[in-house]
């Protein structure tokens, strides 16, 4: 791919990084390690010791392991072994607090397995198994997020790799548990399936991208699905990619960065949770972690697997965005996680030699000026980390020299599995669809009793709903029809649900408005226009809009809740659901419903008091809000 001259220049750059890593290491008789910068406030950092893949010693060890495989220098292996000795005996590894692949114990286990792969030293395989079994609950259940970098899907990939080398039944059980979590925690959206809709992520919706979003989860599902010949896991991966396309922004040829930090939430109408409110700040980020550079890696693999044109188009769009950014080269970040070097795996897969040379040349010039690969952080000159600093640039040069864009830290892979899969039937496409669809129509399916399994052969929840509707109509059972209608309404609400964080912001506004409303006099309150809160829908059991027996469908942080309310509260909610009314107008409407003739003055006063009291309770509960 490269000329002899270009290869020699890349080697020169590689060994300059090697020399600095050698000069900065700490060493005693048995151990080698590097110090990691940790910020203690915005402008000040101190040195600590980290063992993780992201910016700690495991990541640096992977660089030396890759270098050993490249040039065969046995001294690199000495550094690997002494570095691993330090890591494996560290209190933070013996008594871990963090368990994810890139940022916790999962990375130590992964590094052990990569050393075993490269050297055949079974000590590391045995150590990987020992650490896993000693921390099995935390590795499989302790992570709340589903993502690749800091969540349990990254550990699923690592556990599958461990199972490949050990055939351990307990590890296999952990693999099953993690797969089951991905199935159980999948949620429908306007299209496709998503994860991390709970309090684990502070984002507009479940995130896009490779490190924390749908692309990374899909990457793992494709890898594990291929390894176990489990077509259902491939289906889940494609549904994740389908979800991610909701947030593809064509003008920028990029997938939106849906993270919402404090600076993005400082907007007057944030409670309305409209994408347009945040859009201007969501289109710019393009790196391995977030944006087209990382998204394109998964879509390239999906295209190679399925040959579907949609993935080829997505790959092309991702590539065009990266090429556009490289024409500008207006950022001073060359790290793997957030900088230009993280684009290289996508460029390798498209044989974009000139652009790769450009990135690495610019990285070298910036490094020579600043002794750093990231001008946005003050600790860049002291950061030797794999994803965050200097060893990562050396690592990606090794990937370039080896023409390697798969099974690297930017796209960890799995070996081929030549044995019969234990999951071929358990996680078939039909079984996965059944698991996903059933949880949205549980009551309807129970009413129909024993439907033909062919009904689950639907592409998505929309097609499944149409198939199920035919069975419901055929049954001629009114109760079944009502249950189906209710669950269909709930499906509609789930599709619109943007996750816990959206409601956290909305509640803040609603509570403020409720407090202001409740602090006014009864007379002032009754002059206000009232409406249903925007997270409330009413469901009438018998298609009778005047039936006071209603069910409240409440969208809240953790999902959709169903609530029966009393007759009088239902009457009020039902009335204002048809038309927004002032409190005075509402009293008149309720009066017309309750009294055939004009009520006595005493009865009217009692009614007014009762309505006012009930309205205050409904505002406090969040079911009614003041309009305008």
């Amino acid at each position: 791919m490269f000329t002899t001259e270009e290869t020699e220049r890349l080697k020169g750059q590689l060994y300059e990084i090697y020399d600095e890593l050698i000069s900065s290491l700490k060493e005693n008789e048995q151990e080698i390690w590097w110090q990691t910068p940790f910020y203690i406030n915005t402008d000040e950092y101190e040195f600590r010791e980290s063992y993780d893949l992201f910016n700690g010693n495991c990541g640096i060890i992977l660089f030396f392991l890759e270098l050993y495989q490249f040039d065969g220098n046995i001294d690199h292996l000495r550094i690997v072994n002494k570095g691993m000795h330090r890591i494996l005996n560290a209190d933070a590894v013996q008594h871990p607090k963090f368990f994810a692949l890139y940022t916790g114990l999962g990375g130590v286990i992964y590094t052990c397995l990569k050393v075993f792969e490269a050297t055949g030293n079974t000590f590391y395989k045995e150590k990987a198994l020992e650490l896993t079994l000693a921390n099995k609950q935390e590795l499989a259940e302790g992570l709340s997020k589903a993502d690749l970098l800091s969540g349990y899907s990254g550990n699923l990939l690592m556990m599958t790799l461990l199972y490949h080398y050990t055939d351990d039944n307990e590890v296999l059980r952990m693999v099953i548990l993690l797969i089951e979590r991905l199935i159980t925690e999948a949620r429908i959206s306007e299209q496709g399936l998503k994860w991390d809709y709970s309090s684990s992520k502070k984002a507009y919706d479940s995130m896009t991208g490779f490190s924390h979003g749908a692309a990374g989860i899909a990457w793992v599902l494709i890898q594990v699905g291929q390894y176990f010949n489990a077509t259902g896991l491939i289906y889940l991966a494609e549904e994740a990619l389908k979800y991610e396309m909701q947030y593809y922004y064509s003008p920028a040829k990029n997938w939106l960065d849906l993270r919402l930090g404090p600076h993005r939430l400082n907007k007057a109408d944030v409670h309305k949770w409209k994408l347009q409110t945040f859009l201007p700040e969501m289109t710019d980020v393009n790196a391995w972690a977030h944006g087209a550079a990382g998204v394109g890696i998964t879509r390239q693999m999906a295209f190679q697997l399925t040959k579907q044109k949609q993935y080829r188009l997505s790959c092309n769009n991702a590539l065009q965005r990266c090429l556009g950014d490289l024409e500008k080269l207006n950022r001073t970040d060359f790290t793997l996680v957030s900088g230009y070097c993280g684009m290289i795996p996508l460029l390798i897969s498209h044989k974009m030699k000139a652009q790769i040379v450009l990135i690495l040349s610019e990285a070298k010039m910036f490094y020579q000026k600043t002794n750093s690969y990231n001008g946005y952080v003050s600790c860049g000159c002291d950061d030797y980390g794999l994803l965050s600093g200097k060893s990562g640039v050396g690592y990606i040069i090794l990937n370039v020299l080896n023409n390697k864009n798969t099974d690297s830290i930017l796209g960890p892979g799995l070996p081929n599995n030549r044995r019969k899969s234990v999951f071929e039937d358990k996680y078939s496409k039909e079984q996965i669809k059944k698991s996903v669809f059933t949880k949205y129509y549980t009551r309807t399916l129970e009413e129909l009793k024993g439907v033909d399994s062919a009904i689950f052969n639907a592409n998505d929840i929309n097609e499944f709903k149409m198939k199920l509707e035919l069975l419901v109509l055929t049954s001629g059972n009114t109760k079944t029809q009502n249950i189906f209608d209710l669950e269909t309404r709930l499906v509609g609400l789930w599709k619109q649900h943007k996750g816990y964080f959206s409601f956290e912001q909305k509640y803040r506004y609603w509570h403020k408005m409720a407090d202001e409303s409740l602090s006014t006099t009864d007379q002032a309150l009754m002059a206000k226009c009232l409406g249903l809160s925007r997270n409330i829908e009413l469901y009438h059991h018998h298609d009778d809009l005047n039936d006071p027996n209603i069910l409240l469908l409440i969208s809240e942080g953790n999902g959709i809740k169903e609530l029966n309310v009393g007759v009088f509260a239902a009457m009020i909610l039902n009335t204002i659901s048809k038309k927004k009314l002032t409190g005075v107008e509402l009293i008149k409407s309720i009066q017309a419903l309750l009294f055939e003739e004009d009520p006595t003055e005493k009865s009217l006063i009692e009614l007014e008091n009762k309505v006012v009291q009930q309205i205050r309770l409904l505002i406090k509960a969040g079911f009614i809000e003041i309009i305008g």
Side-chain angles (χ1 to χ4, degrees):
M1 186 175 181
F2 295 95
T3 65
T4 302
E5 183 182 347
E6 288 168 337
T7 299
E8 289 305 310
R9 280 206 306 267
L10 289 174
K11 284 183 180 179
Q13 188 175 357
L14 168 66
Y15 287 107
E16 283 178 5
I17 295 168
Y18 162 78
D19 288 340
E20 181 167 354
L21 288 167
I22 292 295
S23 67
S24 61
L25 63 78
K26 310 288 181 184
E27 185 172 9
N28 60 33
E29 188 175 337
Q30 293 182 307
E31 302 169 329
I32 284 176
W33 70 97
W34 288 261
Q35 291 182 308
T36 302
F38 279 81
Y39 278 94
I40 53 179
N41 57 51
T42 307
D43 303 313
E44 185 182 4
Y45 62 90
E46 65 183 19
F47 291 102
R48 301 178 192 171
E49 198 170 340
S50 167
Y51 61 80
D52 65 36
L53 281 175
F54 189 91
N55 67 347
N57 284 280
C58 275
I60 300 171
I61 291 299
L62 285 188
F63 163 74
F64 278 96
L65 190 66
E66 201 79 11
L67 188 58
Y68 165 69
Q69 292 175 287
F70 175 71
D71 65 14
N73 186 334
I74 199 71
D75 190 60
H76 305 330
L77 201 54
R78 177 187 69 86
I79 292 169
V80 167
N81 287 323
K82 291 186 75 172
M84 290 305 294
H85 186 275
R86 176 84 174 189
I87 290 166
L88 293 173
N89 287 284
D91 184 68
V93 173
Q94 296 293 320
H95 305 96
K97 296 179 181 178
F98 307 102
F99 299 92
L101 177 59
Y102 287 82
T103 57
L105 185 67
V108 177
I109 297 166
Y110 178 81
T111 304
C112 283
L113 292 172
K114 301 312 282 185
V115 177
F116 165 69
E117 279 184 351
T119 66
N121 187 341
T122 57
F123 166 80
Y124 291 105
K125 179 177 71 170
E126 290 162 3
K127 205 67 184 174
L129 182 59
E130 177 189 319
L131 287 171
T132 298
L133 297 182
N135 299 276
K136 58 186 179 182
Q137 183 171 357
E138 292 85 355
L139 287 164
E141 301 177 48
L143 295 166
S144 59
K145 300 173 186 176
D147 69 49
L148 173 70
L149 191 141
S150 58
Y152 64 83
S153 70
N155 279 359
L156 171 59
L157 191 144
M158 177 272 291
M159 294 290 182
T160 306
L161 184 63
L162 179 61
Y163 174 69
H164 177 81
Y165 288 121
T166 63
D167 283 323
D168 187 88
N169 286 330
E170 194 59 36
V171 173
L172 183 62
R173 279 191 282 273
M174 294 171 73
V175 168
I176 292 170
L177 178 58
L178 290 168
I179 291 173
E180 292 291 339
R181 281 193 68 182
L182 280 167
I183 297 167
T184 302
E185 295 177 22
R187 286 289 178 267
I188 56 171
S189 183
E190 293 291 349
Q191 63 184 47
L193 296 170
K194 64 183 182 179
W195 288 263
D196 287 337
Y197 54 89
S198 65
S199 58
S200 62
K201 288 287 178 66
K202 288 179 167 48
Y204 174 80
D205 198 352
S206 296
M207 287 169 62
T208 66
F210 200 82
S211 67
H212 291 299
I217 294 171
W219 174 273
V220 172
L221 285 165
I222 291 174
Q223 291 280 345
V224 177
Q226 286 183 294
Y227 181 85
F228 287 114
N229 195 27
T231 56
L233 300 186
I234 307 295
Y235 168 77
L236 285 180
E238 293 205 74
E239 287 296 294
L241 297 180
K242 191 186 296 183
Y243 162 77
E244 194 171 51
M245 284 306 296
Q246 288 180 98
Y247 295 110
Y248 174 70
Y249 187 62
S250 182
K253 286 187 166 54
N254 202 10
W255 284 261
L256 299 180
D257 175 11
L258 299 177
R259 291 172 296 171
L260 293 176
H263 64 290
R264 292 185 179 180
L265 292 170
N266 189 24
K267 307 201 184 266
D269 56 352
V270 66
H271 63 282
K272 294 178 182 176
W273 215 249
K274 301 293 185 185
L275 188 60
Q276 286 298 129
T277 304
F278 311 106
L279 188 60
E281 296 165 310
M282 287 181 166
T283 61
D284 291 339
V285 177
N286 176 27
W288 171 81
H290 304 277
V295 170
I297 296 172
T298 301
R299 288 169 191 276
Q300 179 74 15
M301 183 170 63
F303 174 67
Q304 290 169 349
L305 177 65
T306 68
K307 306 305 180 188
Q308 291 186 34
K309 292 180 181 179
Q310 60 184 345
Y311 297 131
R312 182 170 61 187
L313 178 61
S314 291
C315 288
N316 185 59
N317 288 334
L319 181 63
Q320 292 306 313
R321 171 59 195 243
C322 291
L323 295 179
D325 286 353
L326 291 176
E327 286 179 5
K328 301 172 189 173
L329 267 178
N330 56 0
R331 302 183 70 244
T332 56
D333 185 353
F334 295 91
T335 63
L336 299 190
V337 67
S338 57
Y340 291 114
C341 284
M343 296 181 183
I344 288 177
L346 188 64
L347 298 174
I348 292 175
S349 67
H350 288 84
K351 297 181 170 38
M352 307 298 289
K353 184 182 83 167
Q355 287 74 18
I356 294 169
V357 170
L358 172 66
I359 290 172
L360 293 173
S361 298
E362 291 290 326
K364 182 175 181 177
M365 285 191 287
F366 184 74
Y367 171 72
Q368 288 172 338
K369 290 178 185 175
T370 65
N371 192 32
S372 171
Y373 287 108
N374 188 350
Y376 295 98
V377 294
S378 57
C379 71
C381 59
D382 294 315
D383 192 335
Y384 302 101
L386 187 62
L387 270 77
S388 61
K390 297 176 181 180
S391 67
V393 178
Y395 181 90
I396 204 68
I397 291 172
L398 286 165
N399 284 188
V400 168
L401 290 171
N402 291 323
N403 196 29
K404 180 179 180 181
N405 69 322
T406 57
D407 193 22
S408 78
I409 197 62
L410 298 186
L414 292 170
N416 290 327
N417 177 14
R418 304 189 186 281
R419 300 167 294 181
K420 180 173 171 58
S421 170
V422 293
F423 293 156
E424 197 165 340
D425 297 325
K426 183 178 178 67
Y427 297 124
S428 67
K429 190 180 291 190
E430 183 181 287
Q431 288 299 322
I432 294 290
K433 289 179 179 181
K434 184 176 182 178
S435 298
V436 173
F437 301 154
T438 297
K439 64 188 170 192
Y440 293 100
Y441 284 100
T442 303
R443 287 169 282 185
T444 303
L445 290 166
E446 285 175 353
E447 282 292 316
L448 290 170
K449 292 184 178 64
V451 298
D452 191 317
S453 61
I455 192 175
F456 296 106
N457 188 25
N459 289 321
D460 53 29
I461 193 70
N462 301 320
E463 189 176 319
F464 177 74
K465 178 247 177 184
M466 290 189 288
K467 288 173 174 279
L468 190 60
E469 189 171 22
L470 287 175
L471 294 181
V472 170
L473 292 172
T474 303
S475 75
N477 188 309
T478 302
K479 180 185 175 186
T480 305
Q481 179 69 60
N482 288 336
I483 291 172
F484 173 77
D485 290 344
L486 170 60
E487 291 191 312
T488 298
R489 283 282 293 279
L490 292 169
V491 163
L493 293 175
W494 268 114
K495 287 180 180 179
Q496 299 166 31
H497 199 282
K498 295 293 186 289
Y500 180 92
F501 192 57
S502 67
F503 287 93
E504 189 175 89
Q505 306 311 307
K506 292 173 184 178
Y507 289 150
R508 202 169 289 169
Y509 175 82
W510 291 338
H511 290 157
K512 180 175 179 289
M513 293 298 103
D515 289 344
E516 291 176 4
S517 301
L518 294 172
S519 66
T520 62
T521 64
D522 291 348
Q523 184 177 5
L525 182 61
M526 289 299 97
K528 301 284 188 181
C529 188
L530 308 172
L532 282 183
S533 293
R534 276 163 279 192
N535 64 322
I536 302 295
E537 284 196 17
L538 305 185
Y539 176 74
H540 298 265
H541 293 281
H542 306 296
D543 293 329
D544 181 359
L545 297 182
N546 295 311
D547 184 353
N549 296 305
I550 60 173
L551 190 64
L552 290 191
L553 307 181
I554 307 167
S555 297
E556 56 180 15
N558 292 318
I560 316 297
K561 185 169 73 176
E562 301 167 39
L563 182 68
N564 286 295
V565 294
V567 173
F568 192 66
M571 189 179 297
I572 291 174
L573 294 169
N574 199 35
T575 302
I576 64 171
S577 71
K578 300 171 188 173
K579 182 182 179 183
K580 295 179 179 64
L581 301 169
T582 64
V584 174
E585 293 169 334
L586 175 62
I587 289 171
K588 290 180 180 177
S589 296
I590 298 295
Q591 177 186 329
L593 290 172
L594 294 178
F595 301 105
E596 293 182 3
E597 301 176 359
D598 289 338
T600 64
E601 185 176 346
K602 180 182 177 183
S603 297
L604 186 57
I605 291 172
E606 288 176 351
L607 175 64
E608 289 175 355
N609 289 336
K610 191 174 180 182
V611 170
V612 170
Q613 184 182 22
Q614 189 67 64
I615 285 173
R616 287 186 177 277
L617 289 171
L618 291 170
I619 290 173
K620 188 174 182 179
F623 300 160
I624 285 179
E625 62 182 49
I626 305 301
I627 307 298

